[in-house]
Amino acid sequence: MKSPLNLAGLVILMSIGQPGLSAPVVDTHWQRTAAALFPALEEISPEHVHPKVQDMLAARKARVRNCAEQVRCVIEAMRWTVEEVTTLSGPEATMPSGTEGQNGQAIKLQLRGLNNILEVYGLGATPRYPEIDGPPPDRNQNTGLPINAAYALWLRAAAQSDPATRLDPSIGLALALLDANDRGEASAYEPLDQRFNSQALEKAKNVDWRRYRYSSILVPGIGPDDLTTPLSARSILNVRMAAERFAQGLAPFLVVSGGNVHPRGTRFVEALEMRKALIERFGVPPDSIIVEPYARHTTTNLRNVTRRLMAIGAPLDKDVLIVTQLEQSQYIESAEFLQRNQTELGYQPGKVGSRLSNTELTFRPSAKSAQVDPFDPLDP
């Protein structure tokens, strides 16, 4: 009898290149995650690509088949080479129109993000933030790979006919690796604005932005130190201070920003817990709260608030008021934070301006925040 590991390899060998079912089962979670992480890749129809792209995709599948049952070989074979990325993102990649320009660049970034998932969750490469990212520390004794890598291969093979994976099997493997490691944050709250921000979107249609000193008040979350506390004392402090500023009429909206990040493994989402506190404890109307549940770092607190402001039509030439406890506030205006933005995002999400108090800073958002981050697949 074959072991589960060998069975996984056997299923992969049998599935790659085989015709799919006429009516494949659609995994809606995979569908949402693929749409969040790989939108440009999902738009490519394998039946309408240039012949040289078809040849490249066929060669990739043959490369995987040649790995037989070796898990490491399969994962490494699914990584995209520089030449393959260039081929898929080039001006002749699709027919009848090309993908050059913005879409070609998006394809490049998304393939880099896909490779990052394969390397971190499949091969065990060190993630950007080891304390909160990456697979569990356990390794398979036979392969030395993360413990869930083989199970992800099995899951990908079982879902080989899923429409989300139609372009290339590496997409299915990336989705399976995130699934096997319970890292579904990238799509957990979609459709975000319809589910959580519809009332704020409706209110924004009638806002006279000239009446307010700030377009919004940003409330970044600060995670607790244990897995059982929904909202840390520091986040409660931030919420209270922000509610006071809102009551003064300084801005039409509060933006609560933060995901389920700290401590690792928490099920509590900072933004949702802060929203709950604003409504239940401090009486803030739900239509005045914008939820941003994806930010996992201070860099993306600022980037993502800009995205949400753009979504509701707020003017970007108006400052945001950042309200947070002193330590985080000082960090946001530090040279270290500026460098971190440049290193991790590749740009500044805006300009940190005047300090108004120990707990208040101004921030002028930048439209550059709409750019994707190819290196952090959990925070697109």
Side-chain angles (χ1 to χ4, degrees), residues 17 123 157-158 177 188 196 254 313 324:
L123 300 174
L177 284 166
F196 297 101
L254 290 152
T324 186

Side-chain angles (χ1 to χ4, degrees), residues 28-41:
T28 55
H29 172 69
W30 278 26
Q31 192 175 50
R32 289 192 302 268
T33 304
L37 297 179
F38 313 122
L41 301 181

Side-chain angles (χ1 to χ4, degrees), residues 49 55 159 222 360:
V49 296
D55 291 343
I222 304 174
E360 296 170 291

Side-chain angles (χ1 to χ4, degrees), residues 62-224:
R63 187 168 73 211
V64 175
R65 281 196 299 268
N66 290 336
C67 287
E69 300 180 26
Q70 300 179 37
V71 178
R72 181 183 293 276
C73 178
V74 170
I75 298 173
E76 290 179 342
M78 292 225 192
R79 290 189 297 182
W80 288 76
T81 68
V82 174
E83 293 76 14
E84 291 167 346
V85 171
T86 300
T87 298
L88 190 62
S89 62
E92 298 180 352
T94 59
M95 301 185 299
S97 61
T99 61
E100 60 185 334
Q102 183 177 359
N103 198 42
Q105 181 65 15
I107 290 172
K108 291 179 182 179
L109 293 175
Q110 288 165 33
L111 289 177
R112 288 166 68 181
L114 194 157
N115 277 348
N116 181 268
I117 295 173
L118 299 181
E119 290 161 5
V120 170
Y121 290 90
L123 300 174
T126 302
R128 179 188 287 171
Y129 296 102
E131 291 185 1
I132 60 173
D133 291 337
D138 300 345
R139 297 295 178 110
N140 184 290
Q141 293 183 352
N142 296 322
T143 66
L145 298 177
I147 193 69
N148 291 321
Y151 299 109
L153 289 182
W154 189 14
L155 178 58
R156 192 225 67 82
Q160 57 88 25
S161 61
D162 194 293
T165 74
R166 63 179 181 162
L167 177 65
D168 186 82
S170 63
I171 297 176
L173 178 56
L175 296 173
L177 284 166
L178 294 178
D179 219 354
N181 288 281
D182 195 22
R183 303 309 299 259
E185 297 95 318
S187 63
Y189 316 104
E190 295 301 317
L192 175 62
D193 287 331
Q194 288 87 335
R195 288 178 62 190
F196 297 101
N197 297 322
S198 59
Q199 294 181 53
L201 283 165
E202 191 63 29
K203 173 183 173 178
K205 294 177 182 179
N206 300 308
V207 168
D208 182 356
W209 300 97
R210 296 169 299 179
R211 292 181 50 213
Y212 299 94
R213 187 179 306 175
Y214 307 104
S215 65
S216 63
I217 300 170
L218 169 59
V219 196
I222 304 174

